[in-house]
Amino acid sequence: MKPVLLIDFGSTYTKVTAADIDSPRLLGTANSYTTVQTDINDGLADALIRLEKKTGKLDFCARYACSSAAGGLRMLASGLVPELTAEAAKTASLGAGAKVLKTYSFKLTEDDEEEIRRLDPDIFLLVGGTDGGNTDCITHNARVLARIGGTYPIILAGNRNAARECERILEGREVHICENVMPRFGTLNIEPTQKQIREVFLNRIVQAKGLTQASELISGIMMPTPSAVMTAMELLAKGTKNIPGIGDLVAVDVGGATTDIYSVAEGLPDDPRTSLKGLPEPYIKRTVEGDIGMRYSIHGIVDAAGLDRIAEAAGISEQRMGEIVDMFGENTDMLPYDEETQSADEALASFAVRVAVTRHAGRLEEVFGIGGLKLVQTGKNLLNVDKFIVTGGSLIHTKNTGRIASYGFYDEEDPTSLKPKSCEVLVDRSYIIAAMGLLSQYYPDAALTILKEELIKDGTSK
Amino acid sequence: MEKKTLVIGVIGADVHAVGNQILYHAFTDAGFNVINLGVMVSQEEFINAAIETNADAIVVSSLYGQGELDCRGLREKCNEAGLENILLYVGGNIVIGKQPFDEVEKRFKAMGFDRSFPPGTPPEVDIEALKEDLHIEE
Ligand code: B12
C-alpha cells in the first residue's frame, strides 16, 4: 500500500482524503474546522486524527493540498466592452479557480475606484482592446489602479500595443504581462492568463493567506479548490493515456452562498448551418452564480425561480415556503429537521440547479427573417451531454439527488435553452472530486480509477 | 504606414453571404485590417467590434431590401458609444426595388452615413473612397 494524503482547506471545513495509489482505491475521508485565524495546522491535525480513527495509522508517501480558505482567490477584473473583453476576463478568472468579486467594463469611474480600494482583491486582471485596437480604456484604467495603490499583483492581458505603457504607469507594482485574452476580434486566448493566475496564486497568495505554515507538513498547496475540481472533471471526461474517460459532462456544485457549474464539452451546434453568435466558448467552462445558494443566497433562488413554483414543487403552501426560506436565510447552519423542511430544501436545490444550469448553457434561437427561418446559437450546446455529476454538501447528502439533478436537464417549457436532454446522474457521495483533481497532477490513472469507482449512479432521467 | 481597421458585415436578418466574402478579400488585399462579422449582424455587434478594435470605419452591407430600417439609429448609437468620428459606409441593395439613387443617398446621409453606394458598385470604388476619407496615400 502507498497512501497519499489529499487536503482541501475550505472556508469552513478542512477535508482530508486518503487514497492508495498502489492498488488505486479510496481509503477514507474526514473533516474538521478550518483554523486559518490561528494556525491552519490545528484543523488539519484534528482532521487527520479523525481520518486515522477510520483507516488506522497511515504512512503517507505524499501530501497535496488545495485551498479555498480565507475567502478563496479573490479577483477583480476589468475589460472594455461587457460582452467582449470584459466577458473574456471573467471567463479566464473563473476558469483559473478564482472567486470573481466583480467585473468592470469601459473606463473605471470614481465610484469604482472607491469600491476597488475597499474590496482590495488578491489579484486584479486588467484587459481591454484587441491587439492593435483600443488603448484608451486600458491605459485609463491602469492610471486609476496606480492611483488606488495597494500591494496586490496586477495581471495585464489586454491590447499588446498598450502593455508597456500600462506597465510604466503601474511602476512600483507587481505587474505580470500576458498575451491578450482577445488578441483578434472574436477569438479567446485565456490559457496564458490562467497559467499566470495559478503562478501568482502559488508564489504569493498562499503565503499571504497564512497557508504556508502548513507547507512544512505537505508537499505544497497546488491550486485553488475550484481549479482542482475542474482538473478532475477534465480527467473524468477525457481519460488518461491508459484509461478511457466517460466523455462530455456537466457538473453542479450547489453551495450555501454560490452555485458552481462546470461543463466539459465543445458545445458546437448539431446543425452545421446554425450560425454562432457571441464569444467562442472554452472546452472546459466554469460559471459561478453568486446569487444562487442554499443559505446565504437563498433569496436569490426565490427571485430567479418564483416562490410559487418552488412551493408547488415542494408540495407546501406559498406562505409556509416563504417562512422556511426566511428561516434558512437567517440560520445559515440550519439543516432540514422534518419532512416539510426536507421537501422545501430539496425544491430549493432543484431550482438552484435549474437556474444555474440554464445560465451556464447556451441558447438556440430561431430568427424569422424575410425568406424564412434561421438558427442562431449563443453559448454552449449541451443537449447531447449524457453525464451529469453532482457534488457539494447540500446535494450529496439527500436521498433524492437524481430527481433534484434532473431540474438541470432540457426543459420543454424553455425549449431554446441547450441543457442536456437525457443524462446519467453520478453523485460524489464521498466528496472526493477536488481531492482527485489534486491526485491527478501526479497519479492520473489512480485518480481516474477512484473517480470512476466512487461516483455513484443515481438513476437516469428522461 | 499603420494599417487602417475596418469592421464589415451584413446588417439585420440578412443572410446574403457571397458579397461579404468578396468585400473581405478585396479590402484585405487593399491593405486594410478587416474585422469581418459575417451575416446577420446587429447594430450593437458592429459597435462593440469597432470599440474593441479601435476601428476607423464601419462598412455595412444590406442586400435584402430592409437596409433603411436596419440602419436607422446606427449613427446615434455610435455617438453614444464614443465613436463620434468613425466613418460609416453602406452599400449593396440598400432599398427595395429600383429607386432614384440620389434620393436614397440623401436619406442615408441624413441618417449619418458618410457615403452610400448604389447596387452593383464594385469593391474598387469603395476602396478608393476609403483611401480618400481615411487619408491613405499610396
Ligand atoms: C443568392 C441569393 C439569395 C440566397 C442567398 C444565399 C447566401 N447565403 O448567400 C438566398 C436564397 C438565401 C436568398 C434569399 C433571399 N433573397 Co436573395 N438573392 C440572391 C441573389 C440571386 C444573388 C446574391 C449574390 O450572392 N450576389 C453576388 C454578390 C457577389 O453580389 P452582392 O451580394 O450584391 O454583393 C456585391 C455588391 O452588392 C457590393 N456590396 C455589398 N455590400 C456593399 C457595401 C458597400 C459599402 C459597397 C460599396 C458595396 C457593397 O459588393 C459586393 C461584392 O461585389 C440576388 C440577386 C442578384 N443577382 O444579386 C438576390 C437578391 C439579393 N435577393 C433578394 C431577396 C428579395 C431575397 C429574399 C427576401 C427572398 C425571399 N422573399 O425569400 C430572401 C432574403 C433572405 C434573408 N433573410 O436574407 C433581392 C433583394 C431585392 C432588393 N434589395 O430590393 C435580390 C436582389 C433578388 C431580386 N432581384 O429581387 N437570396
Side-chain angles (χ1 to χ4, degrees), chain A residues 280-298:
Chain A
E281 294 286 337
Y283 168 66
I284 313 168
K285 180 169 182 163
R286 169 176 178 239
T287 50
V288 178
E289 303 310 327
D291 62 331
I292 303 293
M294 293 298 290
R295 292 295 179 269
Y296 298 95
S297 314
I298 197 167

Side-chain angles (χ1 to χ4, degrees), chain A residues 80-81 83-85 106 128-130 132-134 185 275 277 369-370 374 376, chain B residues 2 5 13 15 35 37 39-42 45 48-49 51-54 64 66:
Chain A
L80 178 50
V81 174
E83 298 89 342
L84 298 172
T85 49
F106 304 113
T130 54
N134 182 291
F185 180 80
S275 32
K277 286 282 171 196
I370 316 163
K374 274 276 132 191
V376 179
Chain B
E2 211 179 295
T5 298
V15 301
I35 315 298
L37 305 180
V39 298
M40 291 205 290
V41 181
S42 68
E45 287 168 307
N48 286 344
I51 294 174
E52 290 278 8
T53 60
N54 204 24
Y64 69 165
Q66 304 294 308

Side-chain angles (χ1 to χ4, degrees), chain A residues 370-371, chain B residues 13-19 22 61 63 65 91 93 95-97 117 126:
Chain A
I370 316 163
Chain B
D14 197 333
V15 301
H16 293 91
V18 183
I22 291 177
S61 292
L63 286 311
N93 309 308
V95 292
I96 300 171
F117 299 86
D126 200 2

Side-chain angles (χ1 to χ4, degrees), chain A residues 300-361:
Chain A
I301 307 177
V302 176
D303 291 344
L307 190 62
D308 50 343
R309 284 205 295 162
I310 301 171
E312 193 192 323
I316 51 187
S317 77
E318 242 179 84
Q319 195 200 333
R320 180 68 191 130
M321 190 71 213
E323 288 164 14
I324 296 175
V325 166
D326 290 340
M327 179 176 73
F328 280 152
E330 276 156 36
N331 304 283
T332 52
D333 291 335
M334 188 183 263
L335 295 173
Y337 51 82
D338 61 8
E339 222 171 281
E340 190 183 47
T341 47
Q342 181 68 34
S343 318
D345 214 41
E346 286 180 12
L348 284 158
S350 302
F351 281 96
V353 169
R354 174 167 295 169
V355 171
V357 178
T358 303
R359 290 186 193 163
H360 181 98

Side-chain angles (χ1 to χ4, degrees), chain A residues 234-251:
Chain A
E234 183 180 9
L235 174 78
L236 183 62
K238 291 212 293 209
T240 67
K241 269 200 305 277
N242 309 311
I243 307 173
I246 65 169
D248 290 355
L249 58 86
V250 168

Side-chain angles (χ1 to χ4, degrees), chain A residues 17-58:
Chain A
T17 304
D20 181 12
I21 50 166
D22 211 7
S23 55
R25 72 204 157 99
L26 183 68
L27 296 169
T29 64
N31 59 49
S32 178
Y33 283 103
T34 295
T35 48
V36 74
Q37 260 78 29
T38 52
D39 182 341
I40 194 148
N41 288 310
D42 296 345
L44 175 58
D46 193 38
L48 271 173
I49 292 169
R50 290 176 198 212
L51 177 72
E52 290 189 333
K53 255 191 205 139
K54 298 183 197 168
T55 60
K57 185 96 190 94
L58 291 170

Side-chain angles (χ1 to χ4, degrees), chain A residues 192-253:
Chain A
T193 298
Q194 293 180 323
K195 196 163 157 255
Q196 188 63 62
I197 294 172
R198 278 192 285 272
E199 253 165 53
V200 173
F201 175 79
L202 286 182
N203 298 338
R204 242 196 91 108
I205 312 294
V206 166
Q207 210 171 16
K209 289 189 182 284
L211 303 176
T212 30
Q213 301 149 320
S215 62
E216 284 161 32
L217 261 173
I218 60 187
S219 328
I221 293 186
M222 303 200 300
M223 50 179 104
T225 305
S227 234
V229 174
M230 283 179 90
T231 307
M233 289 300 97
E234 183 180 9
L235 174 78
L236 183 62
K238 291 212 293 209
T240 67
K241 269 200 305 277
N242 309 311
I243 307 173
I246 65 169
D248 290 355
L249 58 86
V250 168
V252 304
D253 179 351

